Amino acid sequence: MSGEDICAVCQQPAQQKCSACKLVFYCSREHQKCHWKEHASHCRPFKLDRDDVLGRHYIATRKIEKGEAILRERTPLVAGPPVDTPPVCLGCYVVLRGNNAKACDKCGWPLCNDCQEHGGECQFTLRFRDSKVSITEFGCPHPTYRCINIIRALALRETDPKAYQRFLELQGHSPTDDDSLEGNRGEEHRALASFVKRFFKIDHIKPEEIIKIAGILQINGHEVPTTEPPHIAVYDAASYFEHSCHANSSKSFTEKDGLIIRAAVTINKGDHISMCYTDPLWGVTNRRHYLLQTKFFHCQCTRCSDPTEFGTMYNALKCSRSNCGGTVLPSTFIVEDNERFPNYSCNKCDETMTWQAVDVKLEQIGIELASMKKNDVNECIKFLNKYSKVLHENHFYMVDVKLAMSQMIGQEAGGLAAVGDEMLNEKISLCKKLDELFRILMPAENRLRGLVLFEVHAAIAEFGRRQGPEQLRGMLMLSQKALREAYELLRYEPDILPEGKIARIAQKNLLEMDTIIKTLCQNAATPM
């Protein structure tokens, strides 16, 4: 028995341990029960570690099964509207248009007609301003709102000092630490600190503290989609998850701003636990640029480090040499600020393209993509046909169009029943290929993968209805399999989100489909 195998209550030798974290031992079930109140807040299947590159990060202390909850946080430390927001209600974040806005009787910050209370900025304004806030312009980003989340953080100094201290302990790049890394963002934070000190009479708070708060909000903010428009929240323990574009954990939100992190794949003991800070549908250069500009680090995750992105060729062009059939990629995308970008080279012949030439070509295609007519399947088909000889079929621009097209087919009047056989088969093919790609590239994107599987289940079921009874049963079983996986991926999404609503529909459809399949099986077994 090791020296650590002692009861957390009586310090006597123990063989039982907490089944959740497997880190704390007990000599009896009674001692485990009486210790739970103290242990509950620390009962997690991971530990906090630190190194010079990643800083603080989590490592699994035991095997974590796929779908298992890793962390739950009931409330954020700070939550509020995005930085560049038009005036919104500071109670529910609904956009205000003037006719649905009313000023708070106490502080003047505008609320909607349904809200009476709002955040810590109310008392903060009363205490540190000589007059009420007056917002009279609506419909476009309002500069005064840039200070809301900073004020809400500062309000914790008085209302919850312990929470404020935990907030200040989060990573927040300060412009004074490395101006070259942060660039214009440092100037923005300094200007924001000056504005806050002018707008509120807070001589007792140094500009450096406000700048630090702005950096913490910038780096640790999560976009919470449970309001329209989404708002931003900073959580305590969740802020220590390291980033990976190929994350192994996924997040979902509760209707009351809670956050739940679950294992997207099986995570083994000793593995780093990660989540994705950026849009995994973007190409590698866009992802790395975004992370550098907003989170202030050069991403070198396993996905970014592999130019083929696990063999998917997500950033690859096709070789321009006739009859070659090769793909063109650089040797690496991990290029630091002053390094020369490598040429793109064909994997079959000696054809090369400069980084600049590729950049110009992709920019032109991106402009064309952005200007495409929306919600038009024929426009999608034109784009795919035009660039199928230029871009790899899995290139992120092609995937963007294929994903949109897979969702559009069947959205017209009459639904899937009005879609022709050829287009129905195209929808099924698109969804299957997208699902295969997303499983490899972004296994933690539950909402995205769940929606794709929900789309394909409906298309497969419709295809089955157009076949004979024997084929129908087989198709419905395939449809049911896709639907069941879609439900598992979406089941934890709150009902106020579209994905949560789809999960409830999927749950209902599974029951109905099970009844239909059983009936078909019984009919097939009944002799004529």
Side-chain angles (χ1 to χ4, degrees):
M1 184 177 293
S2 72
E4 294 181 345
D5 297 353
I6 57 175
C7 179
V9 176
C10 65
Q11 309 303 308
Q12 296 300 310
Q15 294 184 344
Q16 300 178 31
K17 56 185 174 182
C18 175
S19 60
C21 66
K22 303 188 186 300
L23 294 176
V24 180
F25 289 81
Y26 300 100
C27 66
S28 65
R29 189 166 183 81
E30 288 71 25
H31 278 191
Q32 183 175 8
K33 287 181 179 179
C34 72
H35 190 246
W36 174 245
K37 197 168 186 178
E38 178 184 344
H39 177 56
S41 60
H42 305 287
C43 183
R44 294 166 179 168
F46 56 81
K47 64 179 181 180
L48 188 63
D49 206 350
R50 173 190 286 274
D51 67 30
D52 294 338
V53 176
L54 294 173
R56 290 171 292 185
H57 58 280
Y58 291 134
I59 293 179
T61 53
R62 63 168 173 82
K63 184 178 181 180
I64 306 173
E65 299 293 345
K66 177 182 178 181
E68 184 179 343
I70 300 173
L71 175 71
R72 299 173 188 267
E73 294 203 66
R74 292 184 180 277
T75 56
L77 290 172
V78 176
V83 173
D84 295 314
T85 180
V88 296
C89 172
L90 294 179
C92 66
Y93 306 118
V94 67
V95 175
L96 299 176
R97 299 293 182 187
N99 59 347
N100 67 335
K102 63 177 182 181
C104 173
D105 293 336
K106 299 175 184 177
C107 65
W109 286 104
L111 303 172
C112 71
N113 294 325
D114 296 326
C115 289
Q116 304 296 325
E117 303 292 334
H118 55 113
E121 68 279 354
C122 188
Q123 287 300 319
F124 195 90
T125 302
L126 285 174
R127 184 176 178 184
F128 296 111
R129 265 185 68 85
D130 297 331
S131 60
K132 293 181 179 181
V133 173
S134 177
I135 303 294
T136 58
E137 296 181 5
F138 299 90
C140 59
H142 199 291
T144 307
Y145 275 76
R146 295 175 67 85
C147 71
I148 288 294
N149 291 339
I150 290 177
I151 299 167
R152 289 185 172 181
L154 287 172
L156 291 175
R157 285 171 119 247
E158 303 297 330
T159 61
D160 194 341
K162 289 183 178 180
Y164 185 63
Q165 187 56 43
R166 294 200 306 273
F167 179 84
L168 291 181
E169 289 172 358
L170 301 179
Q171 182 179 355
H173 181 77
S174 169
T176 57
D177 294 339
D178 187 352
D179 288 333
S180 63
L181 176 62
E182 192 162 8
N184 293 334
R185 189 66 65 182
E187 291 300 323
E188 291 178 16
H189 289 176
R190 276 188 283 269
L192 190 53
S194 297
F195 171 76
V196 171
K197 286 185 68 66
R198 288 195 311 272
F199 198 68
F200 301 94
K201 310 304 180 184
I202 47 174
D203 296 334
H204 64 294
I205 301 175
K206 295 181 179 180
E208 290 76 16
E209 186 171 346
I210 300 174
I211 290 170
K212 183 176 183 179
I213 290 171
I216 291 170
L217 291 166
Q218 174 81 42
I219 289 177
N220 300 283
H222 293 260
E223 184 179 273
V224 184
T226 54
T227 56
E228 182 55 46
H231 62 283
I232 304 299
V234 173
Y235 296 86
D236 185 5
S239 294
Y240 298 112
F241 281 83
E242 67 186 79
H243 161 77
S244 173
C245 297
H246 190 248
N248 57 17
S249 68
S250 60
K251 62 184 177 183
S252 58
F253 298 94
T254 68
E255 294 187 15
K256 296 184 178 180
D257 270 6
L259 175 67
I260 304 174
I261 309 294
R262 295 182 182 277
V265 297
T266 298
I267 301 173
N268 293 314
K269 181 179 180 179
D271 286 352
H272 288 222
I273 306 176
S274 59
M275 65 170 60
C276 187
Y277 295 179
T278 185
D279 189 335
L281 284 170
W282 290 347
V284 60
T285 54
N286 287 340
R287 297 196 310 269
R288 298 189 77 240
H289 177 75
Y290 171 83
L291 292 168
L292 180 60
Q293 294 299 310
T294 63
K295 309 300 182 183
F296 314 126
F297 68 88
H298 296 276
C299 184
Q300 300 190 41
C301 71
T302 54
R303 183 177 166 189
C304 289
S305 299
D306 178 3
T308 73
E309 299 218 13
F310 312 127
T312 63
M313 303 300 174
Y314 197 64
N315 300 274
L317 284 72
K318 288 189 175 180
C319 181
S320 59
R321 186 171 292 181
S322 59
N323 301 320
C324 173
T327 53
V328 183
L329 277 171
S331 57
T332 183
F333 285 100
I334 306 297
V335 178
E336 303 301 334
D337 294 330
N338 297 322
E339 292 183 4
R340 182 180 177 184
F341 292 112
N343 288 338
Y344 280 61
S345 302
C346 178
N347 62 354
K348 286 190 176 182
C349 71
D350 59 357
E351 186 77 2
T352 63
M353 294 179 67
T354 66
W355 188 289
Q356 293 87 341
V358 173
D359 203 36
V360 169
K361 183 183 289 290
L362 291 180
E363 183 178 7
Q364 292 171 344
I365 299 174
I367 292 171
E368 182 175 339
L369 178 59
S371 63
M372 273 176 54
K373 184 179 178 182
K374 306 300 181 185
N375 300 318
D376 191 317
V377 172
N378 290 328
E379 285 293 305
C380 292
I381 294 172
K382 286 181 186 178
F383 181 93
L384 295 175
N385 289 338
K386 180 177 180 179
Y387 289 108
S388 62
K389 296 179 180 179
V390 179
L391 303 174
H392 189 277
E393 64 175 344
N394 286 339
H395 188 276
F396 56 88
Y397 279 152
M398 301 289 274
V399 169
D400 191 20
V401 175
K402 289 177 180 180
L403 179 60
M405 183 174 166
S406 70
Q407 295 170 328
M408 283 184 220
I409 298 173
Q411 296 299 318
E412 303 88 350
L416 284 174
V419 174
D421 289 350
E422 183 178 352
M423 196 58 69
L424 184 65
N425 285 327
E426 181 68 16
K427 182 182 178 80
I428 294 172
S429 177
L430 286 172
C431 289
K432 284 185 174 180
K433 289 179 180 179
L434 288 170
D435 178 51
E436 292 170 3
L437 179 66
F438 295 161
R439 285 173 190 270
I440 297 170
L441 280 183
M442 48 197 88
E445 294 305 307
N446 288 359
R447 287 189 289 272
L448 178 62
R449 293 181 54 223
L451 291 177
V452 169
L453 287 165
F454 186 81
E455 290 289 338
V456 78
H457 111 271
I460 293 173
E462 175 59 32
F463 179 83
R465 293 187 188 98
R466 301 181 186 186
Q467 315 305 311
E470 190 62 32
Q471 292 89 339
L472 172 60
R473 184 176 59 184
M475 289 294 102
L476 287 181
M477 291 177 73
L478 287 175
S479 174
Q480 186 185 47
K481 180 181 178 182
L483 183 61
R484 186 175 290 113
E485 188 172 0
Y487 173 68
E488 289 300 321
L489 290 168
L490 301 176
R491 63 184 298 188
Y492 300 110
E493 300 302 318
D495 290 349
I496 58 175
L497 291 182
E499 294 87 352
K501 291 181 173 66
I502 289 175
R504 304 292 85 76
I505 295 172
Q507 188 177 29
K508 178 174 177 289
N509 288 357
L510 279 170
L511 294 173
E512 293 176 351
M513 193 171 287
D514 192 50
T515 300
I516 294 170
I517 291 173
K518 286 180 180 178
T519 301
L520 289 172
C521 290
Q522 290 170 356
N523 291 342
T526 302
M528 298 297 292

